[in-house]
Amino acid sequence: MVYSPIEIVLKYLDCTEQTVITGGVATLEDDSSSLMADSRTVSTTERSDRVKRSWQLSWNSSADFIMDLYEVVRTSKGFLFIPPLLQERRVIGQKLRNTVTGLPLGDGVTKTFQLQRAVIIPHDIGSGSTSSDPFDINYPLEGTVIGYSAGIEVPLDDVDLETGVVTYATAPANGATPTADFEHAWAAKFTSMSVGRSMLEVDNTEVRSAQIEEIF
């Protein structure tokens, strides 16, 4: 089930083409903050499981579309953002969550699995690795999902482009690990109260520094 605190307009802002001027600079923003109580004690708000990813982008040939999108969603609604950086939208060999058992394993019966994403980095000292907690991916891109069972590519009957639930043609065997390669969009929203537009010459404009942020 797709969850978002705000309504998401199912419209792609696709930045994979050469319409992005600045190239898409991604930053991470920590949403924890300190609050001063009446007793003068300082406490920190609870930090979410994931910090939000944000992008500050500029467009040239897509300027009209950006302005139209902003007219529709403003800062109160979300949309689907396809970042220009391949490593931000591509996932390789990611384990999937069994929609019945909740485990990243097949049970010989269940055919539906939830796409997920987690990041693994090796330790700088010693052996082993550190990984982030996996989270559901709700908006895979059409034609990019390849399913595997125990490392062997297998056919998929269906890919839900909204929920990110994939349906295997044959249920993965009991104990087999289902994985997938795919690309996905990020649910995002404009965070700027306004979006500026630069007039370069007649019929030639740019949208500069439109700030957008991941939502979940």
Side-chain angles (χ1 to χ4, degrees):
M1 186 70 178
V2 177
Y3 170 77
S4 172
I6 64 174
E7 177 187 351
I8 295 178
V9 176
L10 299 180
K11 185 67 178 178
Y12 290 111
L13 173 53
D14 187 350
C15 291
T16 58
E17 302 298 330
Q18 298 301 317
T19 56
V20 181
I21 298 173
T22 58
V25 178
T27 59
L28 291 177
E29 298 181 350
D30 191 341
D31 65 343
S32 61
S33 59
S34 295
L35 300 177
M36 185 69 73
D38 292 339
S39 62
R40 296 187 179 181
T41 58
V42 177
S43 62
T44 302
T45 59
E46 182 179 356
R47 179 175 172 172
S48 66
D49 292 336
R50 287 190 288 142
V51 290
K52 293 181 179 180
R53 187 185 301 265
S54 66
W55 298 264
Q56 185 161 322
L57 302 172
S58 300
W59 290 267
N60 187 359
S61 59
S62 298
D64 288 341
F65 173 73
I66 303 302
M67 298 304 291
D68 290 344
L69 181 63
Y70 189 75
E71 286 288 336
V72 173
V73 301
R74 302 284 177 163
T75 58
S76 61
K77 297 179 182 179
F79 53 89
L80 303 179
F81 174 59
I82 305 176
L85 300 179
L86 182 61
Q87 62 266 32
E88 290 188 350
R89 65 178 189 270
R90 173 177 287 178
V91 178
I92 301 296
Q94 179 62 63
K95 294 180 181 180
L96 308 184
R97 176 173 57 80
N98 188 311
T99 58
V100 175
T101 66
L103 300 175
L105 294 172
D107 56 16
V109 178
T110 305
K111 294 183 178 181
T112 55
F113 290 79
Q114 174 67 55
L115 294 177
Q116 291 196 306
R117 179 168 188 162
V119 176
I120 300 175
I121 57 175
H123 289 162
D124 286 334
I125 300 175
S127 60
S129 61
T130 299
S131 62
S132 63
D133 293 330
F135 57 92
D136 291 353
I137 294 296
N138 295 136
Y139 303 103
L141 300 182
E142 186 174 9
T144 68
V145 183
I146 302 174
Y148 302 87
S149 179
I152 301 174
E153 183 176 345
V154 294
L156 299 175
D157 272 349
D158 182 64
V159 177
D160 192 311
L161 300 182
E162 186 174 357
T163 65
V165 172
V166 301
T167 303
Y168 280 73
T170 301
N174 187 35
T177 301
T179 59
D181 302 338
F182 58 91
E183 295 181 30
H184 69 97
W186 298 82
K189 67 175 182 177
F190 288 106
T191 55
S192 304
M193 297 302 294
S194 62
V195 175
R197 191 169 191 169
S198 298
M199 309 297 292
L200 305 178
E201 55 183 88
V202 177
D203 295 329
N204 189 1
T205 66
E206 291 178 352
V207 172
R208 291 190 174 274
S209 299
Q211 184 78 23
I212 64 176
E213 180 184 86
E214 175 190 11
I215 56 177
F216 50 82

